[in-house]
Amino acid sequence: MALKIVKGSIDRMFDKNLQDLVRGIRNHKEDEAKYISTCIDEIKQELKQDNIAVKANAVCKLTYLQMLGYDVSWAAFNIVEVMSSSKFTYKRIGYLAASQCFHESTDVIMLTTNQIRKDLSSPNQYDTGVALTGLSCFVTPDLARDLANDIMTLMSHTKPYIRKKAVLIMYKVFLKYPESLRPAFPRLKEKLEDPDPGVQSAAVNVICELARRNPKNYLSLAPLFFKLMTSSTNNWVLIKIIKLFGALTPLEPRLGKKLIEPLTNLIHSTSAMSLLYECVNTVIAVLISLSSGMPNHSASIQLCVQKLRILIEDSDQNCEPSVNACMKYLGLLAMSKILKTHPKSVQSHKDLILQCLDDKDESIRLRALDLLYGMVSKKNLMEIVKKLMLHVDKAEGTTYRDELLTKIIDICSQSNYQYITNFEWYISILVELTRLEGTRHGHLIASQMLDVAIRVKAIRAFAVAQMATLLDNAHLLTGNTQRNGICEVLYAAAWICGEFSEHLENPLQTLEAMLRPKVATLPGHIQAVYVQNAAKLFATVLRSQEGNTDSTTAQETSQLMIDRLPLFVQSANLEVQERASCILQLVKYIQKLQQKDVEVAEEVSALFAGELNPVAPKAQKKVPVPEGLDLDAWINEPPSESESEDEKPKAIFTKEEPKHSRPRHTEVDEKELARRREARKQEQANNPFYIKASPSSQKVYQETPGVEHIPVVQIDLSVPLKVPGLPMSDQYVKLEEERRQKERAEKKKKEKKKRKEKRSGRGKKHDSGPESEEDITPAHMVDIVTEEMPENALPSDDDDKDPNDPHKALDIDLDNLVATSGRRPLADSEKLPVRSHRPTEAPKSPAEDGDTESAAPQEPKKKSSKEKKEKKKDKDKDRKKSKEEKKKKKHKHEEGGEDLLGGQPDEPVVQSEEPNEEVALPTSTSAEVSDLDFWLSNAPVPSNSQEAATVAAAAPIPQAASGAAPDSEPDEPKDTEVETKSSKHKKKKQKKEKEEKEKKKKKKHHHHHHHSDGGGEESVQNGTVEEEEPLPPMSNYCLLAENSYIKMMMEDADQVCDIQGNLQDGSQVVVSVIFENKCNSFLKSMEFNVLDSLNSKLQRPEGAGPHDGLTVPFQLPPGVSNEARFVFTVQSIVMPQKLKGTLTFIVKNEDSSTHEKLDFKLHFTCTSYLITTPCYSDAFAKLLESGDLKGSSVRLEGVNMPFHHLLARICFHHHFSVVERIDSCASMYSRSIQGHHVCLLVKTADQTVSIDAKCDEPSLLGNVLDEIKQTFSQC
Amino acid sequence: MIKAILIFNNHGKPRLIRFYQYFAEDLQQQIIRETFHLVSKRDDNVCNFLEGGSLIGGSDYKLIYRHYATLYFVFCVDSSESELGILDLIQVFVETLDKCFENVCELDLIFHMDKVHYILQEVVMGGMVLETNMNEIVAQVELQNRMEKSEGGLSAAPARAVSAVKNMNLPEIPRNINIGDINIKVPSLSPF
């Protein structure tokens, strides 16, 4: 043995290490591959040795070779060996190699589960860190499932270094194992407020990444992020949050309004360009979301544009030039976003953007071009295009020039040629563009020419003249073989000349040009068009010669055709050949007729009669399927089995098919059809050759105005309609200017006249809209022919979402998790599995997972109580059965509830539960909504926005109670209001209760051995346990004061705290007060005032005196109630307090108004300072072990209610959450706004309840216990 | 999310590659080649972003790079990352390398690819930014190096002596080539 070790280390001396390998490779430049292959052989030898150091060295070298492109997956097992070394040095090498070359299909990954788990729980934080880093690169769904719980525990590790890594890796876990998102989310959210900035940043990172894909689920976190934004100083975190807000604002415009101010402040204050830029970007997003009806934000737009201008034009001397270029680039990018909604503010910077076209950086030039696209108007189009044409001439690289060309066409043709006032100018531009050498975009120009000529009737004569010139000069275009991209325009030219040949001045000449021998060198498809249109021209010529006594011209034309066409008949292109020979025979026949002096012109032109209209894109797709036509049904019955048997000898290769098709045919039902349709869509999506519907073209169609909407204007004859030779577009710019001036003058005259005549025809004159833009009238009868659509076309309903997006699985509703108290608690199946099974056991039932999982955190306990549980399960099962029947009866009485529950799927799938949830838990959702609403409407808390943010941070706590408030409807009879409210409430509670039970029941049905393990973490919450009777209704609202006019109900102060800020700025308590108008008069100018004590102060807006009242932000019509919230700051929270207050208001009748007041007392109990905080049993155990807590206990006699009611009451009235419950014993936890922990152990036996409590603040505890006692003495 | 981090020199030789999404080795090499092709033809004074690369993620992805002396540092990121933020991050990473290697040059990266990886692991984890505070990164790297040293390191003394002997026959010891200081400070970007 010893000898072996010695031998090993001697061998090692001659092993290469990484440096030797690198050096060797550098010294073997000429035969690198050969050298490396010998090295790989050495490495293979080294890997065979037992010495782990040798192996690690070999693996390290392999990592290097992997970088050079060598596949090292063959060493995967050795890598795992090195990973499991106990030495950090080797472990790190192993994990690095694994992270570089492992992936989901690496099969040895399944061997690593236990090793990674061991490393994760290693006492050495760097072992854990290395394992987390490695895992983040190669996590698989199996690893994610098996290790999710371990990682989640690490999120609360004592070392921030581990915490931040654990938080970050959770994102990868979510991606691979979406079921983990719901259970992990509360803790993740908690980490947003971690004391360590690194952990905080990691949590922000993860949530931003999640929210980017499914923003709506994270809207409720907005207040928390808002708070972070206003408090954080870490630019990286700020950037992330601000980017996130950019994604959230489109969903909630009110959020945007709130953001504008702090963002503007940041823009002014920050020196970091990266942050400034993101702020500007988000402000832009906000402005876009607010774009309708927010005129007063023009200052913000101006600020943004101004900052962007600085970004674009200033170059910092201290900066690298490339960084300046980056700023410029981003500035332009952001500008283009503003442009979409606020084009005017960008248009004023046209100079700057045109200047950017001269930039030496191509990406900047391209950005500037993008901007120009959005900046054109009728006024400046010609000018901008003129500038671009100059750049086209200057541009050296063909790619950039081609880009310019397409941009010019895009700019001009956008929104159905909206900005073009003079189509002659546009045609000349297109003709000028044909002179570009070597462009690839000939077809683009061609299609524009065709489009304009077809759709703008007025321009046809001009276009035909231009095209004829083009055809005449075709040699210029085709002369150079390099230019053959541009010859595509000849296709358009030939077609236009042929189709609209009636406009041709000299058709014979054009015909001659089209039949020149040189044409034969053009591509086939162009020749084909030439031939076809030559025939059209021929028809025109004959027609023009009609009635002419001298028939020589006509006969000469026929002869010309007969002479030239054989050239095309010989063409190798089938299309050309076919058309040519067809037409040749036709012409020969015509010639014969001509010689007999037969009039043929009429008949020949009849061949080409009729007008072609453009068809809208996707018109075919929009043809509705006629009723009764099933496209998926067989047209002919598929061959039956017997037939196929008959044909068997023939159909050797298709033997399988008929067998399949038969049953499929008989089973075709709705579902199957839907599935097939889906499959087809998928297939189409994956097929690169399938032409998909492009949303943009759709839009174009929808925006296309009908012919009747286009203003018809007289043709201005001052513009010459013919320009001899190839036109210069520039001249049009001048002409256009003159024309406009003239028009303006004329209009003024007319207007004066009209005014004199005092007629009211002003509105009718132009229906084209406001702005000076509209003063510019098009020079032509812009008769843009609308594209044709089939009758009763269907509106398209394309919802293109990538079905393969992994983030789709993460679209999970998290709102109800946020507060964890009594919303939708985690279903048992949702909890994270704790102990892993071998991967082969993967598809196990969730119940088994659940079973094992509850065991992990409390392993010792489980063993002892296992037998008990077993028995209990049996008992429960029996009870269940009888209960189920009872429940069924109850359901029938509930309106609407039945089908809801009936529709529930058997498996508790997260997403599919949602619709039920929404109906069943209206209280909680409405509370949620109202809380966000509350935060978003600054009104109730007139203090600064940061406080508002803290208010909402704990918003979702008072679920049922605050939910009741917005429920009250204005038209309810006032006397019965309280009753109806509570009964309503009751109903909802019951519904919820049943829903819960139903779920449990169903689950039980499937996994019958699965029962009380749910108590482990969170499933026992606020009375949603599977016990019998529904909970009595509970409300925290109590009557504050009442008189003949008004009733004030106060909620038992739901509280809020700023966990981070509480030590410095004290704590805040929010009091919700419902004001209800009981009289028949209108109540207004309500002012709420409280006499501050030393300890508690009402928060008043800045600048208000200490005795000023707060205006209630609403008025009350008769019978209406509304809720307002007031924020108090509290210094000490260990004692209950009472505050005196007054409400003053004006009662307004039809004839008189009186001033009234109402006194009240606000009672702040100690429980009102507690916040429901979830606590995991392991953390709870640690807390108790820590020994910092002081104990106290209380006994309650004669409590006559079920245990779960008791717990629910404590949870509800005193803001506790259940940590764990075993039989008639439960541990509960809560935390005060100043961070005191309060732990309760509640036991019950024979109507006696004993509560043992521990807290780090004895007087707080004493008071809380007294209050609990009081709660139960009342009932 | 960061999709990939590539470091290669002016000739396109990879010095470190880190993909946060699986690509087979040959595809990785192709991506490096294409990226190098795109980046290397750009002037040093043009902007540091490249859009619409077809290599990794499609239209949502951008290449953000910086060129330091002989090396290109290229980050491929999606739209959730701030462009200027990533530029800053590259700067932080390079400055960290500079601190850890004391005047880092290309050779440090060539011979200590593993160490560069360990440093990068403290900056970016699984495609997400882990830490942007340079002092924190350096501290964690040094603590881990110290641990490695206490374990004797990978290449213990005898092996090193041997490799020194082996080197004696070599015609050149590339250590002597000074490729230069790659540390270029950018004052306009405020560090985090």
Side-chain angles (χ1 to χ4, degrees), chain A residues 284-304:
Chain A
I284 294 168
V286 168
L287 294 175
I288 290 171
S289 73
L290 297 175
S291 57
S292 51
M294 289 299 292
N296 49 341
H297 279 307
S298 58
S300 311
I301 303 161
Q302 281 314 314
L303 176 70
C304 289

Side-chain angles (χ1 to χ4, degrees), chain A residues 12-20 22-23 26-27 32 53 56-57 60 63-64 66-72 86-90 92-93 96 99-103 124 126-127 130 132-133 136-137 161 164-165 168-169 171-172 198 205-206 209 212-213 234-236 239-240 243 271-274 277-278 316 318-323 325-327 329-330 333 360-361 363-364 367, chain B residues 1 13-20 22 25-26 28-29 32 42 44-49 51 60-62 66-67 78-89 107 110-114 117-118 121-122 125-132 136 139-140 143-145 147-148 151 153-156 158-159 162-163 166-167 170-172 174 177 184-192:
Chain A
R12 251 198 89 196
M13 300 221 312
F14 298 100
D15 290 344
K16 290 194 191 76
N17 62 16
L18 176 62
Q19 282 74 35
D20 297 327
V22 174
R23 209 167 284 136
R26 288 167 72 85
N27 287 327
E32 194 183 286
N57 185 40
C60 184
T63 314
Y64 184 84
Q66 195 271 343
M67 177 179 79
L68 298 184
Y70 289 86
D71 177 22
V72 298
S86 57
K87 273 197 174 183
F88 171 73
T89 314
Y90 306 146
R92 183 154 77 154
I93 290 170
L96 175 62
S99 70
Q100 287 291 81
C101 65
F102 281 13
H103 52 94
N124 179 349
Y126 291 113
D127 282 352
V130 154
L132 283 173
T133 307
S136 73
C137 294
Y161 178 74
K164 73 180 175 191
K165 287 197 167 191
L168 216 51
I169 202 179
Y171 179 64
K172 293 278 177 162
N205 229 329
V206 171
E209 206 59 55
R212 199 167 72 92
R213 308 300 182 137
N234 180 338
N235 280 354
W236 186 264
I239 287 173
K240 281 277 170 192
K243 274 191 95 103
S271 60
M273 274 303 187
S274 44
Y277 175 71
E278 293 307 336
D316 191 337
N318 302 322
C319 258
E320 284 172 70
S322 67
V323 173
C326 290
M327 307 280 179
Y329 173 86
L330 291 177
L333 196 65
K360 53 187 173 297
D361 189 344
S363 13
I364 290 176
R367 281 277 144 239
Chain B
M1 282 274 280
K13 281 240 184 266
R15 295 304 175 214
L16 176 133
I17 55 171
R18 172 75 275 189
F19 287 90
Y20 294 103
Y22 173 70
E25 274 76 11
D26 46 348
Q28 289 187 356
Q29 294 300 314
I32 296 169
R42 292 173 67 85
D44 261 357
N45 53 10
V46 303
C47 105
N48 293 341
F49 313 132
E51 258 181 287
D60 193 31
Y61 290 89
K62 279 195 184 100
R66 289 190 100 149
H67 189 196
D78 68 12
S79 62
S80 75
E81 302 294 344
S82 143
E83 293 90 343
L84 292 173
I86 293 289
L87 274 187
D88 283 0
L89 187 74
L107 281 174
I110 296 172
F111 285 100
H112 302 282
M113 183 207 71
D114 48 345
H117 265 297
Y118 299 143
Q121 282 178 357
E122 298 302 321
M125 183 176 133
M128 290 196 285
V129 178
L130 179 67
E131 185 60 69
T132 51
E136 171 75 13
Q140 295 298 348
L143 277 170
Q144 292 179 58
N145 288 344
M147 233 176 96
E148 188 174 310
E151 287 180 349
L154 178 63
S155 43
V162 171
S163 80
K166 277 187 280 186
N167 288 340
L170 300 179
E172 54 153 356
I177 303 165
I184 298 162
K185 295 278 186 310
V186 184
S188 72
L189 293 174
S190 69
F192 298 103

Side-chain angles (χ1 to χ4, degrees), chain A residues 674-940:
Chain A
R675 194 192 58 74
R676 275 194 221 166
R677 217 165 286 140
E678 196 48 49
R680 196 166 52 237
K681 259 189 203 163
Q682 282 264 28
E683 196 189 322
Q684 289 167 355
N686 296 331
N687 183 358
F689 299 109
Y690 183 81
I691 299 162
K692 275 155 257 185
S694 74
S696 57
S697 61
Q698 185 61 28
K699 232 180 241 165
V700 169
Y701 164 68
Q702 281 161 348
E703 281 162 10
T704 308
V707 183
E708 63 275 14
H709 299 305
I710 297 167
V712 176
V713 180
Q714 282 292 307
I715 297 177
D716 190 335
L717 288 174
S718 66
V719 180
L721 284 175
K722 271 182 298 169
V723 182
L726 290 177
M728 283 303 292
S729 58
D730 283 358
Q731 67 196 72
Y732 288 98
V733 180
K734 239 185 240 166
L735 283 172
E736 181 71 12
E737 203 45 53
E738 282 168 19
R739 188 182 66 85
R740 281 181 195 172
Q741 250 168 12
K742 219 170 164 188
E743 229 163 51
R744 239 172 276 149
E746 257 170 49
K747 201 184 270 169
K748 261 184 202 163
K749 254 190 240 162
K750 268 188 206 165
E751 221 134 274
K752 270 182 201 162
K753 242 191 223 167
K754 271 197 183 156
R755 249 174 238 161
K756 273 179 203 162
E757 289 168 12
K758 287 195 178 173
R759 273 189 194 168
S760 60
R762 280 188 80 187
K764 277 184 192 168
K765 201 174 54 183
H766 289 292
D767 54 345
S768 32
E771 294 180 20
S772 61
E773 269 276 287
E774 302 312 323
D775 294 345
I776 303 165
T777 49
H780 297 130
M781 187 143 66
V782 194
D783 189 3
I784 298 177
V785 182
T786 14
E787 293 153 331
E788 289 193 330
M789 273 301 235
E791 279 171 46
N792 51 34
L794 297 166
S796 73
D797 48 344
D798 292 352
D799 187 18
D800 309 319
K801 256 205 163 177
D802 182 8
N804 301 325
D805 187 0
H807 298 277
K808 225 179 163 189
L810 286 180
D811 188 2
I812 293 168
D813 184 16
L814 297 163
D815 278 348
N816 42 25
L817 257 180
V818 171
T820 57
S821 61
R823 300 295 159 87
R824 185 155 66 101
L826 295 168
D828 293 327
S829 59
E830 280 186 75
K831 284 188 205 148
L832 295 174
V834 167
R835 184 94 317 163
S836 77
H837 306 285
R838 254 156 273 117
T840 42
E841 286 173 47
K844 233 178 178 184
S845 77
E848 288 213 20
D849 280 351
D851 217 347
T852 46
E853 126 235 337
S854 68
Q858 25 162 325
E859 222 171 352
K861 251 189 233 167
K862 193 203 160 190
K863 270 176 197 159
S864 63
S865 63
K866 208 169 184 177
E867 280 168 302
K868 252 192 259 169
K869 269 188 189 169
E870 219 61 29
K871 274 182 207 162
K872 217 181 105 195
K873 272 178 207 162
D874 291 341
K875 245 190 262 168
D876 276 343
K877 237 187 282 166
D878 295 341
R879 259 196 285 164
K880 273 282 119 65
K881 271 182 196 164
S882 59
K883 258 176 260 156
E884 265 173 34
E885 282 163 19
K886 259 188 238 165
K887 263 181 256 154
K888 266 178 200 157
K889 274 175 208 161
K890 264 187 212 163
H891 281 313
K892 276 175 193 162
H893 296 295
E894 232 172 335
E895 348 84 270
E898 218 175 68
D899 45 350
L900 264 174
L901 296 166
Q904 201 174 341
D906 288 349
E907 286 285 331
V909 184
V910 180
Q911 284 94 331
S912 58
E913 273 175 19
E914 271 169 13
N916 291 341
E917 211 66 49
E918 259 167 64
V919 184
L921 295 173
T923 45
S924 63
T925 43
S926 69
E928 186 76 41
V929 168
S930 73
D931 285 324
L932 190 64
D933 284 349
F934 168 59
W935 178 69
L936 288 167
S937 57
N938 320 14

Side-chain angles (χ1 to χ4, degrees), chain A residues 119 299 1053 1083 1117 1142:
Chain A
D119 289 336
L1083 300 185
T1142 322

